[in-house]
Amino acid sequence: MMLVDGDAGSTSDWDDRWNHIKKFLERSGPFMHPDFEPSTEALSGFRNIHVVDMDNIDVSNLNRQFLFRAKDVGRPKADVAADFINSRVPGCFCPSFYLYLEFHIIVCGLDSIVARRWMNGMLLSLLVYEDGVLDPSSIIPLIDGGTEGFKGNARVILPGMTACIDCTLELYPPQINFPMCTIASMPRLPEHCIEYVRILQWPKEMPFGDDMALDGDDPEHIQWVYQKSLERAAEFSITGVTYRLTQGVVKRIIPAVASTNAAIAAACATEVFKIASSAYLPLNNYMVFNDVDGLYTYTFEAERKENCSACSQVPSDLHFSPSSKLQEVLDYLTESTSLQMKSPAITTTMDGKNKTLYLQSVASIEQRTRPNLTKTLKELGLADGQELAVADVTTPQTVLFKLCFTS
């Protein structure tokens, strides 16, 4: 995530440094923003880039980007990226951490849907409404880019105005899981052999001691799974099991393609330039990129969902019978393509007091509230129209739902 700012007063410029940008900012063109006036006073370049990342560099990061080197393994990603930018771009000021509220534009290159949804929720939580009307000055544009092998996408989100991440959750495919019957009885792919060892052999043999969970970042663990997967593959005359594939299956890694990453990064940088300078209208609002066979791109407008649980500002309806069990509500929250929660905690208000119906993340509370899962909504004392507050790792905000009883 990056904050960008412009400052034309740096003394580190050299003659003609900004000539290529002046072509866009000092003359009109067919794609010019209707409110933009070409001028020599226009924004000339990004000077302040604030990098935020709470992760450390792993060896697997080195093959899919250009800022990190082998000597940087173990260091914070944000620190290394900031150091590289400061040394590479004269006149650039790049600190490692900053406050979300101070960002002008945020660029996301995250590797999970959960992280994207959390960032989406953070920006939505910063919006200011006066008498139900959104204050435009509180909007922080979000540029989101993602890649998956030879495929990628870039999108522009104006929180509170355009479709947010949660509005389009159906666009994100669920994680691939192989049928257990195939893994155990009829393996056909090298991935089936690796999954067999990961799911069945590891907990049965416990090669590194009781209660030792499989660690995808431990070379000894991966080596053991790799060797056992080779043996399994040989039994069924299956080829293609490699150490790299083994690690990829265990860690759910999709191989990164540098050319795809570069194309999506360029698209995101272009959108930041357009929004920061107002020289051109931004992407409206979702671009799909595919270079599997040749090169294909397609742009469409993702529409905002009126009942989006994240950005609609109104509680979403939950339709259940009074005889439905709380477990059914929990299953809906996690399995619904429009919600895709991970470990929802459900609370409500009864007689003016907060009541926790189920909370999974704290062991003592989970044990105490587990019996509620087998109770019906009526037995729990819930009424038609009652609000349920749900907290989940996919969002920094509590999501409100209105319980609607069906006959």
Side-chain angles (χ1 to χ4, degrees):
M1 293 162 283
M2 300 185 298
L3 175 148
V4 295
D5 195 6
D7 176 9
S10 173
T11 58
S12 62
D13 285 349
W14 55 85
D15 291 343
D16 301 328
R17 180 179 184 183
W18 304 110
N19 273 357
H20 58 297
I21 293 182
K22 290 179 180 179
K23 292 181 173 64
F24 296 103
L25 301 181
E26 296 184 6
R27 64 187 188 188
S28 61
F31 302 107
M32 186 178 68
H33 192 292
D35 297 327
F36 179 74
E37 295 183 6
S39 169
T40 57
E41 302 300 320
L43 183 70
S44 61
F46 302 131
R47 304 282 189 168
N48 297 339
I49 305 175
H50 298 232
V51 180
V52 179
D53 198 307
M54 305 303 177
D55 199 6
N56 292 330
I57 298 169
D58 184 74
V59 173
S60 63
N61 300 132
L62 302 181
N63 74 318
R64 56 180 179 264
Q65 54 66 55
F66 310 102
L67 300 181
F68 309 147
R69 300 293 182 266
K71 63 181 177 61
D72 300 320
V73 172
R75 292 186 60 196
K77 291 181 178 178
D79 288 352
V80 176
D83 290 345
F84 185 96
I85 294 170
N86 284 327
S87 62
R88 177 69 177 83
V89 184
C92 183
F93 172 65
C94 184
S96 302
F97 300 94
Y98 215 68
L99 299 176
Y100 290 111
L101 193 59
E102 300 297 327
F103 290 173
H104 298 127
I105 300 171
I106 290 182
V107 185
C108 279
L110 302 168
D111 59 1
S112 76
I113 305 304
V114 172
R116 281 183 167 84
R117 295 179 67 185
W118 193 93
M119 192 67 246
N120 179 72
M122 173 58 71
L123 296 185
L124 290 171
S125 71
L126 299 178
L127 296 177
V128 176
Y129 289 86
E130 297 181 2
D131 298 325
V133 179
L134 176 62
D135 180 0
S137 65
S138 66
I139 297 174
I140 302 175
L142 171 63
I143 315 298
D144 179 55
T147 64
E148 187 174 284
F150 288 97
K151 301 176 182 179
N153 70 274
R155 63 187 301 183
V156 174
I157 296 172
L158 302 179
M161 293 184 62
T162 64
C164 74
I165 296 289
D166 281 47
C167 285
T168 55
L169 274 185
E170 293 89 345
L171 294 176
Y172 298 102
Q175 181 175 291
I176 296 175
N177 292 304
F178 301 107
M180 183 58 68
C181 59
T182 301
I183 295 172
S185 305
M186 300 176 293
R188 299 184 302 275
L189 301 172
E191 290 86 350
H192 294 162
C193 302
I194 299 168
E195 284 287 79
Y196 177 86
V197 176
R198 183 183 74 86
I199 296 174
L200 300 175
Q201 277 192 257
W202 180 278
K204 181 181 179 180
E205 299 187 21
M206 286 293 178
F208 294 88
D210 295 343
D211 300 325
M212 176 62 75
L214 176 57
D215 184 355
D217 292 316
D218 190 322
E220 293 185 1
H221 289 196
I222 297 298
Q223 184 65 32
W224 187 90
V225 175
Y226 169 53
Q227 292 298 334
K228 292 296 182 180
S229 300
L230 283 175
E231 296 172 10
R232 175 76 173 171
E235 292 179 22
F236 293 88
S237 301
I238 296 173
T239 60
V241 174
T242 65
Y243 182 92
R244 184 172 183 178
L245 178 64
T246 301
Q247 189 177 42
V249 172
V250 171
K251 296 181 65 176
R252 293 294 193 262
I253 295 174
I254 297 173
V257 178
S259 60
T260 310
N261 288 353
I264 295 302
C268 291
T270 300
E271 295 308 315
V272 174
F273 173 79
K274 290 193 288 186
I275 291 177
S277 68
S278 296
Y280 297 87
L281 289 170
L283 175 70
N284 186 28
N285 51 29
Y286 199 112
M287 187 272 286
V288 177
F289 176 89
N290 189 330
D291 59 349
V292 175
D293 297 308
L295 180 63
Y296 172 79
T297 62
Y298 174 70
T299 302
F300 67 93
E301 181 179 359
E303 296 185 2
R304 189 178 179 190
K305 186 182 293 184
E306 292 183 2
N307 62 343
C308 174
S309 60
C311 71
S312 65
Q313 295 296 305
V314 294
S316 299
D317 292 341
L318 287 177
H319 297 276
F320 285 94
S321 165
S323 60
S324 298
K325 292 181 170 55
L326 185 64
Q327 180 68 59
E328 297 177 50
V329 177
L330 189 72
D331 292 342
Y332 174 77
L333 294 174
T334 56
E335 297 173 5
S336 169
T337 56
S338 61
L339 296 174
Q340 298 184 36
M341 293 186 174
K342 299 302 178 183
S343 55
I346 308 173
T347 62
T348 190
T349 301
M350 290 185 175
D351 300 325
K353 298 180 179 179
N354 291 332
K355 180 180 180 180
T356 300
L357 300 177
Y358 183 70
L359 190 149
Q360 184 177 348
S361 58
V362 180
S364 59
I365 301 179
E366 195 281 332
Q367 186 176 9
R368 190 172 73 247
T369 58
R370 191 185 308 161
N372 288 341
L373 294 177
T374 59
K375 295 180 180 179
T376 67
L377 303 182
K378 184 177 181 180
E379 290 172 339
L380 290 170
L382 299 176
D384 185 42
Q386 189 157 356
E387 283 195 353
L388 300 180
V390 181
D392 190 60
V393 294
T394 56
T395 174
Q397 303 184 91
T398 298
V399 182
L400 296 179
F401 294 91
K402 184 174 75 173
L403 192 58
C404 299
F405 280 164
T406 58
S407 56

